[in-house]
Amino acid sequence: MDIKINKIGVMTSGGDSPGMNAAIRAVVRTCAFHEIECVGIYRGYQGLIEGDFKQMNARSVNNIINKGGTILKSARSKEFMTKEGRVTAYAKAKEEELDALVVIGGDGSFTGAMVFSQEFDFPVMGIPGTIDNDIYGTSSTLGYDTALNTVVEAIDKIRDTASSHNRLFFVEVMGRDVGYIALNAGVGAGAEEILIPEENLGKERLIESLKRSRLSGKSSSIVVVAEGDKTGENVFELKDYVEENLPEYEVRVSVLGHMQRGGSPSCWDRVLASRMGVKAVESLLEGKTNFMVGIKDTKMVLCPIDKAVKGKTDINLELLRVSDIMTT
Amino acid sequence: MDIKINKIGVMTSGGDSPGMNAAIRAVVRTCAFHEIECVGIYRGYQGLIEGDFKQMNARSVNNIINKGGTILKSARSKEFMTKEGRVTAYAKAKEEELDALVVIGGDGSFTGAMVFSQEFDFPVMGIPGTIDNDIYGTSSTLGYDTALNTVVEAIDKIRDTASSHNRLFFVEVMGRDVGYIALNAGVGAGAEEILIPEENLGKERLIESLKRSRLSGKSSSIVVVAEGDKTGENVFELKDYVEENLPEYEVRVSVLGHMQRGGSPSCWDRVLASRMGVKAVESLLEGKTNFMVGIKDTKMVLCPIDKAVKGKTDINLELLRVSDIMTT
Amino acid sequence: MDIKINKIGVMTSGGDSPGMNAAIRAVVRTCAFHEIECVGIYRGYQGLIEGDFKQMNARSVNNIINKGGTILKSARSKEFMTKEGRVTAYAKAKEEELDALVVIGGDGSFTGAMVFSQEFDFPVMGIPGTIDNDIYGTSSTLGYDTALNTVVEAIDKIRDTASSHNRLFFVEVMGRDVGYIALNAGVGAGAEEILIPEENLGKERLIESLKRSRLSGKSSSIVVVAEGDKTGENVFELKDYVEENLPEYEVRVSVLGHMQRGGSPSCWDRVLASRMGVKAVESLLEGKTNFMVGIKDTKMVLCPIDKAVKGKTDINLELLRVSDIMTT
Amino acid sequence: MDIKINKIGVMTSGGDSPGMNAAIRAVVRTCAFHEIECVGIYRGYQGLIEGDFKQMNARSVNNIINKGGTILKSARSKEFMTKEGRVTAYAKAKEEELDALVVIGGDGSFTGAMVFSQEFDFPVMGIPGTIDNDIYGTSSTLGYDTALNTVVEAIDKIRDTASSHNRLFFVEVMGRDVGYIALNAGVGAGAEEILIPEENLGKERLIESLKRSRLSGKSSSIVVVAEGDKTGENVFELKDYVEENLPEYEVRVSVLGHMQRGGSPSCWDRVLASRMGVKAVESLLEGKTNFMVGIKDTKMVLCPIDKAVKGKTDINLELLRVSDIMTT
């Protein structure tokens, strides 16, 4: 592609996550720095189809780096999943004279970007924004670190009351079909058990493990359950099973829910978002397209967007072991 | 009663709440200050029956003022509800040479204290520790202020994602059969609707109000639901009803649960706990018994413990009005 | 005064405090509720003089209840202290057809309001917004509760490192010439000493007390120093004095500074601000003027603004005693 | 070295940092898991010299993963810097039958470990615990992430009042002679200027840059100053210089101080500490010595302890550029 980039559109798409605003700010200000135009697209692909645009300059993004959510709002667009929808979207993009798109979102959003780019030879660049950390090609997605802190702070509070009452708590956390949040927040919160989709212990071993934990002198226990875990049908069914088999325990369930998606981003997520925004825009200016920006160790990297979508990162087995050792 | 008080027992009973540790610390140190003995009783009345005691001095309570939960643990005791149980408890108290009891807990715990005191002519003093704020004779109970902040911070996070997605959120909060937490946290979080047991709008008016709110230009809404509210059978049934009647909204439910019971106490709860602990011990030393310590405006007060148990504080109607005006 | 109120101006003046935005929101929405107009005045009295106004409606104050600072900005105006300045201000007010003024600020701001009201027979209503809690006629000012939590959280962190190293920490907190923040946050943080302007111990007794604390087995100590305290010339001079006289201690100084003025308001401050905003507007509508809105226990009250300015609340001696007992 | 490891001593040394307790817990529990003994050494090398030991088991470290500071306390030991001191230390270690030492601390502590190991052929393993992130061989030190969040939250609060008043704030942050905290927290907090020791702009360019920022429409500014920065003699002298040269600005100084060293560790720091503790003990069990445990991207690594001490990580120039672009 040899298009000169004069105007970039930026959107947030799919589930929102802390750090999205910081990334928007970075995209907008990097455009300003390089003296090209930047257009905010509201409500993701749906807003692109509807031409819901707003010209943005460096001042439009004042005081948003510390805000959760996304000032551009987010949505899932069924229309964009049709060829017709995408044709309209392309027409709107041309009408607005957009030369490239920065999409902040998760793998669903990247699939959309990839298809759009291929169909219309349109430059796109992805920034991974999801609390689930389930994207290949980056060690960390925007919002993941903040969500971990939110979960750990909530479990710290639950533990106060758990240890006051000799209770067993099941805490369900987000993460769709992967266990990143559960595993890391579980280790961080000192959970006695962590149930993740990647490793199914089975109900019987859960009971045995809880018995062992009680015998070892622990009077209360926290079990972190990933929402995608399949040990029980769901966390409430699991509670019933445990209460039947361990009648000495009073079990309580906490479903943390959408508070995990919000909150002021952690320093890590803000810095990562700022670096990713710069990298995304400057990569487009260098003529690159169809990549996702990522971080590996301390460095910014690019990953072909199709690999980001299709690739699978295996769960960190070392961390599972750490969890086992910590619950000795 | 004309007993010289040389040794005081202190316990936490019923549901735990932030500030209980600060109150224990204050009771222990006030005893030390007045050079009398203090004994910690573990697991409330059950520990009294079982003689689960620990001698405490000023250093035993170092570094607990900022901790949630209760280092003395808490429990509900079925045995203490029987005459036999209380006779054993009294025997243990005599054996340990306890001259008086400070009970930190809610109305159930105070009922126990009252009965115990009457049956055995034993000096007791109550400190109101519950997040629900449902005790007559004090403007604020220990843990209530902290719980309000916990709820408001959680809803702030939920609002981030609610406003990013044009969604309707139902947030269930604690409070047993009263609406203090729901009403105050609802106003504090800027909730669009607050459903409390004290004022049943009815489902139809909820739907109308949500429609009005949408027409007024609000794209997302938070509805705070007290756990004791009876607008729907429960918050999930309410969600179904609303989704049926307002199909344009995607409804999400968040049940905040036990995190509301824990966490480092707010400054208010720590100071209140410290003042109440001093007042409880010094009132016993002055020969008073069967009172609960409370706060009215900025001053410590005493309330006969039977009034504390039986009295009813009406919900603040002014605050309901404030909520209505704020959601104009 | 028998003026019909159709349009109210609202401003924040003097030092800002958490809860000011929540109060602005409440004033604006109460005006909307009663279908009268509301105008935001930027930068306090200076903005009134310059006619820096903005028409506000219920939607202008969306999503600010949880924000620190003030969207109307604040300033101190030298011009308004002159008769000439006030004449201009009055002319601007008339030009804008303002019928009354709600001033959110501290005693300096209220003095201005009082003079203005007297000179031009202009209806004013005050809302006490300052972290210092140094206003007569209310048990709590907006921002005070939030500032206490900020200070206590900071000292909790400092204590971590203090107890790891056997160190003595001097923490200077705000409060101008009163000791409310120091005394309450000091008790809340479990400080070993609290130095406030209202009660000067003298340096020698500080040294003795620190010696006693060390002998009692405490290996680290936190001393909270009100900025208005006169035990030393300032906190750094005090540090030098202590290090000279207690060479076994390494002393560290922390000046918390302006972070005490910001942050998301606590639930208490948000609810208080909402109630005060409603009360201020509705009192004006009832024909009242020259009052400050306050809270006594759980009820809204009005206090003549001149009493609010001139009155003095004595420091709570009971709390000083509590602090002494707690450091047994 | 072919010693069988049966008993490991663990200590924290130098300045404390959040995550040290989580690391102690991990070391203790990994020993328990492998059924070897673990001894806590109080107050770092000084406690080793004095034989200030405590046998530890899995239950000794309950409920400390979320606590700031260090339960083993920390200190700097002058005695250990002498050969004589180290000889005594070695004698005490032999007397206690310690086979190896895990030292949690910074480069000063590692230098001590290295010398001790060489002089007495004694197995040591280092865990990097310092908020400064100034250790070669790991991308992140324990406590660094938590300190960044503490700084960013404090600056968020300061910004509230800065933007309410059109003020310029200088915020001094820790970091000894490197600028990691300042640079990352500065970017995370959206600071207008970041002054670090690694890149001296000079006072004149600071003034120019602040002028430019004002012209671009910003009414308030935050300047983050690393404590090791040499733009001015210190932050107060810098304030005077700026006020002289930019009289339109009111400048305020905030020295965040030791609160940066404390607080409940972030999830990242807790997980990192847990992994490092496991790695340290298991590496010793595999016969390795004289290494420091580190993290590179998502993996645990070992770095020869002399390299960790002598190596230098250059500051991330990309991040400096990001900061420049963000303040467009």
Side-chain angles (χ1 to χ4, degrees):
Chain A
M1 239 170 294
D2 209 34
I3 300 162
K4 173 92 178 62
I5 308 281
N6 289 310
K7 198 172 190 177
I8 288 177
V10 57
M11 66 164 69
T12 49
S13 165
D16 62 319
S17 72
M20 281 189 161
N21 278 328
I24 295 168
R25 171 181 179 265
V27 168
V28 171
R29 292 208 171 155
T30 309
C31 288
F33 182 82
H34 288 290
E35 301 183 335
I36 62 170
E37 286 184 82
C38 189
V39 169
I41 302 167
Y42 284 92
R43 295 173 299 118
Y45 294 115
Q46 194 56 35
L48 182 57
I49 290 171
E50 300 175 13
D52 196 356
F53 301 144
K54 190 190 160 193
Q55 194 76 20
M56 302 189 89
N57 62 43
R59 293 292 73 75
S60 318
V61 290
N62 276 356
N63 295 320
I64 67 168
I65 192 172
N66 60 337
K67 302 290 188 293
T70 154
I71 58 165
L72 292 178
K73 294 179 182 286
S74 188
R76 288 187 171 83
S77 168
K78 282 185 190 160
E79 219 177 324
F80 193 75
M81 291 181 187
T82 66
K83 177 76 198 224
E84 215 182 322
R86 291 192 297 275
V87 166
T88 316
Y90 179 69
K92 286 287 178 185
K94 285 284 102 181
E95 197 183 307
E96 182 69 19
E97 301 188 324
L98 298 180
D99 299 317
L101 221 50
V102 175
V103 177
I104 307 168
D107 55 7
S109 311
F110 291 166
T111 305
M114 202 171 61
V115 171
F116 187 71
S117 172
Q118 285 161 356
E119 285 178 343
F120 307 101
D121 193 24
F122 198 88
V124 299
M125 192 63 58
I127 291 179
T130 162
I131 62 166
D132 302 328
N133 206 33
D134 58 349
I135 309 272
Y136 182 87
T138 186
S139 301
S140 190
T141 56
L142 290 184
Y144 172 57
D145 184 63
T146 303
L148 290 180
N149 284 331
T150 298
V151 172
V152 155
E153 284 165 25
I155 300 182
D156 282 356
K157 288 185 172 51
I158 293 170
R159 188 176 291 284
D160 285 340
T161 185
S163 23
S164 301
H165 278 95
N166 299 356
R167 271 178 186 158
L168 180 58
F169 266 93
F170 281 13
V171 183
E172 189 191 277
V173 302
M174 284 186 162
R176 296 200 309 170
D177 46 357
V178 297
Y180 276 102
I181 292 180
L183 183 53
N184 278 272
V187 170
E192 279 70 23
E193 288 294 334
I194 302 169
L195 306 183
I196 55 174
E198 289 86 348
E199 199 212 38
N200 195 332
L201 272 181
K203 287 181 186 174
E204 299 74 22
R205 282 182 52 198
L206 173 63
I207 298 293
E208 274 164 46
S209 166
L210 289 170
K211 275 187 190 156
R212 229 178 10 250
S213 163
R214 199 175 175 88
L215 286 175
S216 87
K218 292 199 174 179
S219 58
S220 67
S221 289
I222 305 277
V223 180
V224 172
V225 186
E227 62 175 335
D229 177 65
K230 298 291 171 223
T231 308
E233 265 165 68
N234 62 52
V235 72
F236 293 100
E237 188 262 359
L238 207 57
K239 164 195 150 87
D240 292 343
Y241 181 82
V242 169
E243 284 189 329
E244 219 165 276
N245 288 277
L246 285 174
E248 61 273 32
Y249 266 125
E250 233 185 306
V251 185
R252 289 281 184 279
V253 171
S254 242
V255 177
L256 293 188
H258 279 72
M259 58 178 286
Q260 295 167 81
R261 290 268 185 88
S264 184
S266 67
C267 185
W268 170 263
D269 275 328
R270 298 183 194 190
V271 173
L272 184 59
S274 303
R275 294 172 73 186
M276 284 180 164
V278 171
K279 182 74 175 176
V281 172
E282 298 196 334
S283 296
L284 283 169
L285 293 183
E286 289 163 9
K288 291 178 184 121
T289 179
N290 255 317
F291 285 98
M292 182 195 76
V293 179
I295 186 165
K296 286 288 171 189
D297 197 22
T298 60
K299 296 215 165 11
M300 288 291 103
V301 293
L302 292 181
C303 171
I305 208 163
D306 57 333
K307 279 184 73 176
V309 169
K310 287 171 208 154
K312 255 290 179 215
T313 325
D314 291 328
I315 199 84
N316 189 338
L317 291 177
E318 175 226 328
L319 199 48
L320 263 179
R321 231 190 125 242
V322 167
S323 168
D324 284 345
I325 297 175
M326 286 309 104
T327 50
T328 298
Chain B
M1 240 169 293
D2 209 32
I3 300 163
K4 170 94 176 67
I5 307 279
N6 289 311
K7 199 173 190 175
I8 288 177
V10 58
M11 67 164 68
T12 48
S13 166
D16 62 318
S17 72
M20 282 190 161
N21 278 328
I24 295 168
R25 171 182 179 265
V27 168
V28 170
R29 293 207 170 155
T30 309
C31 288
F33 182 83
H34 289 290
E35 300 182 337
I36 64 170
E37 286 184 83
C38 188
V39 168
I41 302 167
Y42 284 91
R43 294 173 298 119
Y45 294 116
Q46 193 55 35
L48 181 59
I49 291 171
E50 300 175 14
D52 194 358
F53 300 145
K54 192 189 158 192
Q55 194 77 21
M56 302 190 89
N57 63 41
R59 292 291 74 75
S60 319
V61 289
N62 275 356
N63 294 321
I64 66 167
I65 192 174
N66 60 336
K67 303 288 188 293
T70 154
I71 60 165
L72 293 177
K73 293 178 185 285
S74 188
R76 289 188 169 83
S77 168
K78 282 185 191 161
E79 221 178 322
F80 194 75
M81 291 184 187
T82 68
K83 178 76 199 226
E84 216 182 321
R86 292 191 297 273
V87 167
T88 316
Y90 180 68
K92 287 287 178 184
K94 284 284 102 180
E95 199 183 302
E96 182 69 20
E97 301 188 323
L98 297 181
D99 300 317
L101 220 51
V102 175
V103 177
I104 308 166
D107 55 6
S109 311
F110 290 165
T111 306
M114 202 170 63
V115 172
F116 187 72
S117 171
Q118 286 161 355
E119 285 178 344
F120 307 101
D121 193 24
F122 197 89
V124 299
M125 193 61 59
I127 292 178
T130 162
I131 62 166
D132 302 329
N133 205 33
D134 57 348
I135 310 272
Y136 183 86
T138 185
S139 302
S140 190
T141 57
L142 290 185
Y144 171 57
D145 184 62
T146 303
L148 290 181
N149 284 330
T150 298
V151 172
V152 154
E153 284 166 25
I155 300 182
D156 282 355
K157 287 186 174 52
I158 293 170
R159 188 176 292 284
D160 285 340
T161 184
S163 21
S164 301
H165 277 93
N166 299 356
R167 272 177 185 157
L168 179 60
F169 267 92
F170 281 14
V171 184
E172 189 192 276
V173 302
M174 285 185 160
R176 297 200 308 170
D177 46 357
V178 298
Y180 277 103
I181 293 180
L183 183 53
N184 279 271
V187 170
E192 277 72 21
E193 288 295 332
I194 302 170
L195 306 183
I196 55 174
E198 288 86 349
E199 200 212 39
N200 195 331
L201 272 182
K203 286 183 188 175
E204 298 73 22
R205 280 183 53 199
L206 173 64
I207 298 293
E208 273 164 47
S209 167
L210 289 172
K211 273 187 193 158
R212 229 180 7 253
S213 165
R214 198 174 175 90
L215 284 176
S216 89
K218 292 200 174 179
S219 57
S220 66
S221 289
I222 305 279
V223 180
V224 172
V225 186
E227 61 176 335
D229 177 67
K230 298 292 173 225
T231 308
E233 265 166 67
N234 61 52
V235 70
F236 293 100
E237 189 261 358
L238 207 56
K239 164 196 150 85
D240 292 343
Y241 181 82
V242 169
E243 285 190 330
E244 219 165 277
N245 289 276
L246 284 175
E248 61 273 33
Y249 266 126
E250 233 184 307
V251 184
R252 291 280 184 278
V253 171
S254 241
V255 178
L256 291 187
H258 279 71
M259 57 178 287
Q260 295 167 82
R261 290 267 186 89
S264 183
S266 68
C267 185
W268 170 263
D269 275 328
R270 299 182 193 191
V271 173
L272 184 60
S274 303
R275 296 171 72 184
M276 283 180 164
V278 171
K279 183 74 176 177
V281 172
E282 298 197 332
S283 297
L284 283 168
L285 294 181
E286 288 162 11
K288 291 179 184 121
T289 178
N290 255 317
F291 285 98
M292 182 195 75
V293 179
I295 185 164
K296 286 287 170 189
D297 197 20
T298 61
K299 295 215 165 12
M300 287 291 101
V301 294
L302 291 180
C303 170
I305 207 163
D306 57 333
K307 278 185 73 175
V309 169
K310 287 171 209 152
K312 257 288 180 216
T313 325
D314 292 327
I315 201 80
N316 189 337
L317 291 176
E318 175 225 331
L319 199 47
L320 263 179
R321 232 192 123 242
V322 167
S323 168
D324 284 345
I325 296 175
M326 286 309 105
T327 50
T328 299
Chain C
M1 239 169 294
D2 209 33
I3 300 163
K4 171 91 178 67
I5 307 281
N6 289 310
K7 199 174 191 177
I8 288 177
V10 57
M11 66 163 69
T12 49
S13 164
D16 61 320
S17 72
M20 282 189 160
N21 278 329
I24 294 168
R25 170 180 179 268
V27 168
V28 170
R29 292 207 172 157
T30 310
C31 288
F33 181 82
H34 289 290
E35 300 183 337
I36 62 170
E37 288 185 80
C38 188
V39 169
I41 303 167
Y42 285 91
R43 293 173 300 118
Y45 295 115
Q46 193 57 35
L48 181 58
I49 291 171
E50 298 175 14
D52 194 356
F53 302 145
K54 190 189 159 192
Q55 194 76 20
M56 302 189 89
N57 63 42
R59 293 290 75 76
S60 319
V61 290
N62 276 357
N63 295 319
I64 67 168
I65 192 173
N66 60 337
K67 303 287 187 296
T70 154
I71 58 164
L72 292 178
K73 293 181 182 285
S74 188
R76 288 186 172 83
S77 168
K78 282 186 191 160
E79 220 177 323
F80 194 76
M81 292 182 185
T82 66
K83 178 74 200 223
E84 216 182 320
R86 292 191 297 275
V87 167
T88 315
Y90 179 68
K92 287 286 178 187
K94 285 283 103 183
E95 198 183 304
E96 183 69 21
E97 301 188 323
L98 298 181
D99 299 317
L101 220 50
V102 175
V103 177
I104 308 167
D107 56 5
S109 311
F110 291 165
T111 307
M114 200 171 63
V115 172
F116 187 72
S117 170
Q118 287 160 353
E119 285 178 345
F120 306 101
D121 194 22
F122 198 89
V124 299
M125 194 62 58
I127 292 178
T130 161
I131 62 167
D132 301 329
N133 205 32
D134 58 347
I135 308 272
Y136 182 87
T138 186
S139 300
S140 190
T141 57
L142 290 184
Y144 172 57
D145 183 63
T146 303
L148 290 180
N149 285 330
T150 299
V151 171
V152 155
E153 283 165 26
I155 299 182
D156 282 355
K157 287 186 172 53
I158 292 170
R159 188 176 293 281
D160 285 339
T161 186
S163 20
S164 302
H165 277 94
N166 299 355
R167 271 176 186 160
L168 180 59
F169 267 92
F170 281 14
V171 183
E172 189 191 278
V173 302
M174 284 185 162
R176 296 201 309 171
D177 45 357
V178 298
Y180 277 103
I181 292 180
L183 182 52
N184 279 272
V187 169
E192 278 71 23
E193 289 294 333
I194 302 169
L195 307 182
I196 54 174
E198 288 87 349
E199 199 212 41
N200 195 331
L201 273 180
K203 287 183 189 175
E204 299 74 22
R205 282 183 51 199
L206 173 63
I207 297 293
E208 273 164 46
S209 166
L210 289 171
K211 275 187 189 156
R212 226 177 14 249
S213 163
R214 200 175 174 90
L215 285 175
S216 88
K218 293 200 174 178
S219 59
S220 67
S221 290
I222 306 278
V223 180
V224 172
V225 186
E227 62 176 335
D229 176 67
K230 298 292 173 224
T231 308
E233 266 165 65
N234 61 53
V235 72
F236 293 100
E237 189 261 359
L238 207 57
K239 164 195 151 86
D240 292 344
Y241 180 82
V242 169
E243 284 190 330
E244 220 165 274
N245 288 278
L246 285 174
E248 61 273 33
Y249 266 126
E250 235 184 304
V251 185
R252 291 279 183 278
V253 171
S254 243
V255 178
L256 293 187
H258 279 72
M259 57 180 285
Q260 296 166 82
R261 291 267 186 88
S264 183
S266 68
C267 185
W268 170 264
D269 275 329
R270 297 182 194 190
V271 174
L272 184 58
S274 303
R275 297 172 72 184
M276 284 180 163
V278 172
K279 182 73 175 176
V281 171
E282 298 197 332
S283 297
L284 283 168
L285 293 182
E286 289 163 8
K288 290 178 185 123
T289 178
N290 256 317
F291 286 98
M292 182 195 77
V293 178
I295 185 166
K296 286 288 172 188
D297 197 20
T298 60
K299 295 214 163 17
M300 288 291 102
V301 294
L302 291 181
C303 171
I305 209 162
D306 59 331
K307 278 185 72 176
V309 169
K310 286 171 207 153
K312 257 289 180 216
T313 324
D314 291 328
I315 199 82
N316 189 338
L317 291 177
E318 176 226 329
L319 199 47
L320 263 179
R321 229 190 127 242
V322 167
S323 168
D324 283 347
I325 295 175
M326 286 309 105
T327 51
T328 299
Chain D
M1 237 170 294
D2 208 33
I3 300 163
K4 170 93 178 63
I5 307 281
N6 289 310
K7 199 174 191 175
I8 288 177
V10 57
M11 66 164 69
T12 48
S13 166
D16 62 318
S17 72
M20 281 189 162
N21 278 328
I24 294 168
R25 171 180 179 269
V27 168
V28 171
R29 293 206 170 157
T30 309
C31 288
F33 181 83
H34 289 290
E35 301 184 336
I36 64 171
E37 287 185 81
C38 188
V39 169
I41 302 167
Y42 284 90
R43 294 173 299 117
Y45 294 115
Q46 193 57 35
L48 182 58
I49 291 171
E50 300 175 12
D52 195 355
F53 301 145
K54 191 190 160 193
Q55 194 76 22
M56 302 189 89
N57 63 41
R59 293 291 74 75
S60 319
V61 289
N62 277 356
N63 295 320
I64 66 168
I65 193 174
N66 61 336
K67 303 289 188 295
T70 154
I71 60 164
L72 292 178
K73 291 179 185 285
S74 188
R76 289 189 171 81
S77 168
K78 282 185 190 161
E79 222 176 323
F80 194 75
M81 291 182 187
T82 67
K83 177 76 198 223
E84 218 182 319
R86 291 191 298 272
V87 167
T88 315
Y90 180 68
K92 287 286 181 189
K94 285 283 104 181
E95 200 183 303
E96 183 70 18
E97 302 188 323
L98 298 181
D99 299 317
L101 221 52
V102 175
V103 177
I104 307 166
D107 57 5
S109 311
F110 290 165
T111 306
M114 201 170 63
V115 171
F116 186 71
S117 170
Q118 285 160 355
E119 284 178 346
F120 307 101
D121 194 22
F122 197 88
V124 300
M125 193 62 59
I127 291 178
T130 163
I131 62 166
D132 302 329
N133 205 33
D134 58 347
I135 309 271
Y136 182 88
T138 186
S139 301
S140 190
T141 58
L142 291 183
Y144 172 57
D145 184 63
T146 304
L148 290 181
N149 284 331
T150 300
V151 172
V152 154
E153 284 165 25
I155 300 182
D156 282 355
K157 288 185 171 54
I158 293 171
R159 187 176 294 281
D160 285 341
T161 184
S163 21
S164 301
H165 277 93
N166 298 356
R167 270 174 186 160
L168 180 59
F169 267 92
F170 281 15
V171 183
E172 190 191 276
V173 302
M174 284 187 162
R176 296 200 311 170
D177 45 358
V178 298
Y180 277 103
I181 293 180
L183 183 53
N184 278 271
V187 169
E192 277 71 24
E193 289 293 333
I194 302 169
L195 306 182
I196 54 174
E198 288 87 349
E199 200 212 40
N200 195 330
L201 272 182
K203 287 182 188 174
E204 298 74 20
R205 281 184 51 199
L206 173 63
I207 298 293
E208 274 164 46
S209 165
L210 289 171
K211 274 186 191 158
R212 227 177 12 248
S213 164
R214 199 175 175 88
L215 285 176
S216 86
K218 293 199 174 178
S219 58
S220 67
S221 290
I222 305 278
V223 180
V224 172
V225 186
E227 62 177 335
D229 176 66
K230 297 294 174 222
T231 308
E233 266 166 66
N234 61 52
V235 69
F236 293 99
E237 189 261 357
L238 206 57
K239 165 196 149 86
D240 292 343
Y241 181 82
V242 169
E243 285 190 328
E244 220 164 274
N245 288 276
L246 285 175
E248 61 273 32
Y249 266 126
E250 233 185 306
V251 184
R252 291 281 183 277
V253 171
S254 242
V255 177
L256 293 186
H258 279 70
M259 57 178 286
Q260 296 167 81
R261 291 266 187 89
S264 184
S266 68
C267 185
W268 170 263
D269 275 329
R270 297 182 193 192
V271 173
L272 184 60
S274 304
R275 296 172 73 185
M276 284 180 164
V278 171
K279 182 75 176 176
V281 172
E282 299 197 332
S283 297
L284 283 169
L285 293 182
E286 289 163 9
K288 291 183 184 117
T289 179
N290 255 318
F291 286 98
M292 182 195 77
V293 179
I295 185 166
K296 286 288 172 188
D297 197 20
T298 60
K299 296 212 162 17
M300 288 289 103
V301 294
L302 292 180
C303 169
I305 208 164
D306 57 332
K307 277 185 74 176
V309 170
K310 286 172 207 152
K312 257 287 180 218
T313 325
D314 291 327
I315 199 84
N316 189 338
L317 292 177
E318 175 226 329
L319 199 47
L320 263 178
R321 231 192 125 241
V322 167
S323 168
D324 284 346
I325 296 175
M326 286 309 103
T327 50
T328 299

